[in-house]
Amino acid sequence: MSALLSVEHVGVRFGGLVAIADLHFDVNPGEIVSLIGPNGAGKTTAFNVMTGFLRPSQGEVRFRGTSLAGLPPHEITRLGLARTFQRTSVFPDDTVFDNVMIGLHRQGSLMSRAPLLDTLLGRGGANERRLRERAAALLERVGLAGRSNEKAGSLAYGEQRLVGVALALATEPAMLLLDEPVSGMNASETRVFVRLIRQIRDSGVTLLLVEHDMPLVMDVSDRIVVLNYGRLIAEGPPAAIRADPAVIEAYLGQGSAARHAGAGAREAEHA
Amino acid sequence: MTRLAPLALLAALAALPLGLGTDPYLLNALITTGILTIGAMSLNLLLGFTGQLSLGHVAFFGIGAYVSALASLGFEVEVGFGLRVVHEPWPAAVGLVLGTLAAGACGYLIGRLSFRVRGAYFVIVTISFAEVVRLVALNWVELTQGPLALTNIPAVTLGLPGLGYWTLKTKAQNYYLVLAVGTLCYLVIGRLVGSRFGRAMRGLKENESLAMSVGINATRTLTVAAVISAAMAGAAGGLYAHYLRIIDPDVFLFATTVTMVIMVVAGGKGTLMGPVVGGLIFGLLPVLLRPVMAPEAQWIVYGLILIAILFAMPKGIVPGLRALGARRRPASPVLEVNPAVQR
Ligand SMILES: Nc1ncnc2c1ncn2[C@@H]1O[C@H](COP(=O)(O)OP(=O)(O)OP(=O)(O)O)[C@@H](O)[C@H]1O
Ligand SMILES: [Mg+2]
């Protein structure tokens, strides 16, 4: 099976700081892979490289066999690689519904050869209607249908994360990168989100997940890639990662023994 | 503001000359106000809907004015290597179209140049551009007459072969021409803003990275907005030239850009009606103040009114009134039917 996404010896330097040293891994079609590591390990930086927001100092990323080197973000999205953001995930001043309408930008252009001209001549009506239907369906899918008319910026943080996912899904990706999607969600919202992740995968979308919620990561991942200080320190199925001494060391070494124990406890609760 | 407000305003503006009779002083004020309001509407397309501030917007206005004037006056210039370019006069209406296109082309250049970086860079590029074209207009005397001004610019002639022609000589005729162009610009901007293109502009303004991540091409979207905005400013400049029938390099004055920014910000940037309301108020204010106070006092009052408006309604008049209306009828958002469900 050939990889859908290959990160090939990518390195990123910010001045003297090595954010990513030499990252090398693949994601295969249909997989759910998690990219984990302590704060500052370089996970978001890796996402930024994959989606064209950052040029790597070395190496390259390939998606469906084509190199993404030098491509701007919007073109990478058009190739079928979408992402969510760790910090801001919405267009805050628009309604949730209009957020998704903005997200359907690409779909709109596929419906018409000269959308701008259609607009000026008032010929876009049918396409607009179809886009609205799709937006409503997407909101239904992520469970935000009841929030359609609310301003996205006024939603609870966890719900904003869901808007972000709806926006990414609106681009009809073959692969989705999720950057800490459940931060800000409570336990029950997280459980619902796990179902959504599985459902997205079952609809044919490959997933790469960055997440600090270890129970969730262990639960949904087919494979886990572990980063520490910009270096890949382990890679394998959840069971192997859980037992990997280098991984435990990385998390404990950061002085997060308590968090580790806490995560274990929550995991037990989760099961 | 309700949906009917723009229509009511249009009807009132259309009826105005009937009520005013032919008072040339007021009509003149209304025409120049209308022209500046078109400029403000075009500026709003960038500043209000994409968040990009064009502080050299008057450049597009001036280019529209000069290109339109020169195309309809004709010219003969030496362009170097012993080559002379001779242009025979064309009809003023053709000049207007050319002025619009030329300004749009400049918008394209500026957009391509600066939208890779955006933000402050765009502000600086537009200011410099305006200064450069002003210096060209001032110093290329053979083409522009420099400070001596281009005079005898023909009035606009409208008509169709077989139907007859009208030369717009009176103030009332020019007033209706400006009103027609302004209405057209309003409708075009309205269509754009309500479309997929408008959503792309809003997305870029609200969260640029997120917009790019859903496949929106930032450079292209902003450049298209700049082209349309510049073209509309150019059309306003062309109207100005053929109405006044004389222009000099002062059409590139920075103060005109500032006036347009004031109109947009006071009226409410990012709203369709904002620049119209702001344009009418700040275009007509000097006219209303002139008979009742000394020139120095006029500008102080002008400034005070601006400050008072922005103090009471920081987002501008139109959003301010809307917020007031929403507070008075708190039940309405709940009753509003989701358009997605409605269809
Ligand atoms: N634009 C930037 N300029 C300079 N340094 C940066 C930049 N972006 C990230 N860094 C640094 O690179 C390192 C990796 O950051 P990154 O955001 O990728 O970590 P992360 O693994 O996503 O962490 P977290 O779990 O906290 O989100 C950090 O030391 C960070 O301070
Ligand atoms: Mg991060």
Side-chain angles (χ1 to χ4, degrees), chain B residues 41-46 57 60 224-234:
Chain B
M41 277 160 51
S42 74
L43 180 72
N44 183 43
L45 184 60
L46 278 177
H57 211 60
F60 305 120
V224 171
V227 168
I228 297 171
S229 168
M232 284 180 182

Side-chain angles (χ1 to χ4, degrees), chain B residues 1-306:
Chain B
M1 211 166 278
T2 67
R3 268 162 199 284
L4 290 177
L7 268 180
L9 183 64
L10 178 62
L13 288 175
L16 205 52
L18 308 174
L20 287 174
T22 47
D23 179 348
Y25 179 65
L26 262 179
L27 265 183
N28 175 56
L30 281 168
I31 292 168
T32 46
T33 295
I35 289 172
L36 274 178
T37 299
I38 296 173
M41 277 160 51
S42 74
L43 180 72
N44 183 43
L45 184 60
L46 278 177
L47 177 58
F49 291 103
T50 72
Q52 301 292 323
L53 175 57
S54 162
L55 264 192
H57 211 60
V58 75
F60 305 120
F61 181 85
I63 285 167
Y66 266 97
V67 169
S68 187
L70 286 169
S72 49
L73 280 171
F75 55 84
E76 186 177 344
V77 286
E78 174 98 40
V79 289
F81 308 107
L83 269 174
R84 296 196 72 76
V85 173
V86 182
H87 168 70
E88 294 301 326
W90 281 339
V94 177
L96 267 181
V97 173
L98 286 179
T100 305
L101 293 178
C106 292
Y108 178 79
L109 279 179
I110 298 297
R112 289 259 78 163
L113 254 175
S114 52
F115 280 145
R116 286 180 183 283
V117 200
R118 302 187 268 283
Y121 194 67
F122 180 68
V123 177
I124 292 165
V125 169
T126 51
I127 294 182
S128 327
F129 176 67
E131 193 52 23
V132 167
V133 273
R134 191 183 70 85
L135 289 174
V136 170
L138 196 60
N139 293 302
W140 195 357
V141 176
E142 196 186 7
L143 181 69
T144 66
Q145 312 289 324
L148 293 179
L150 281 175
T151 52
N152 286 326
I153 301 167
V156 177
T157 299
L158 292 179
L160 287 170
L163 275 175
Y165 294 87
W166 298 271
T167 301
L168 308 185
K169 288 235 170 334
T170 69
K171 291 209 158 48
Q173 289 168 330
N174 273 284
Y175 174 82
Y176 283 112
L177 176 65
V178 170
L179 186 59
V181 173
T183 306
L184 181 68
C185 289
Y186 182 92
L187 291 175
V188 167
I189 295 175
R191 279 253 163 100
L192 283 178
V193 166
S195 74
R196 169 175 171 273
F197 180 77
R199 290 193 291 269
M201 290 195 293
R202 279 212 310 277
L204 286 169
K205 183 179 143 196
E206 287 178 49
N207 190 337
E208 188 177 284
S209 300
L210 185 59
M212 295 196 290
S213 84
V214 295
I216 294 170
N217 182 340
T219 314
R220 196 186 102 86
T221 305
L222 294 177
T223 303
V224 171
V227 168
I228 297 171
S229 168
M232 284 180 182
L239 289 174
Y240 186 76
H242 294 283
Y243 167 62
L244 282 189
R245 307 189 55 188
I246 170 170
I247 49 166
D248 65 12
D250 276 0
V251 294
F252 292 106
L253 276 185
F254 182 63
T256 310
T257 300
V258 175
T259 305
M260 291 194 255
V261 173
I262 288 174
M263 290 170 164
V264 171
V265 172
K269 61 181 159 69
T271 63
L272 278 176
M273 277 298 274
V276 181
V277 173
L280 287 176
I281 292 175
F282 286 94
L284 295 176
L285 199 54
V287 183
L288 300 176
L289 295 178
R290 201 170 301 158
V292 293
M293 58 183 73
E296 301 77 18
Q298 280 171 36
W299 292 114
I300 293 172
V301 172
Y302 188 95
L304 287 177
I305 290 178
L306 175 63

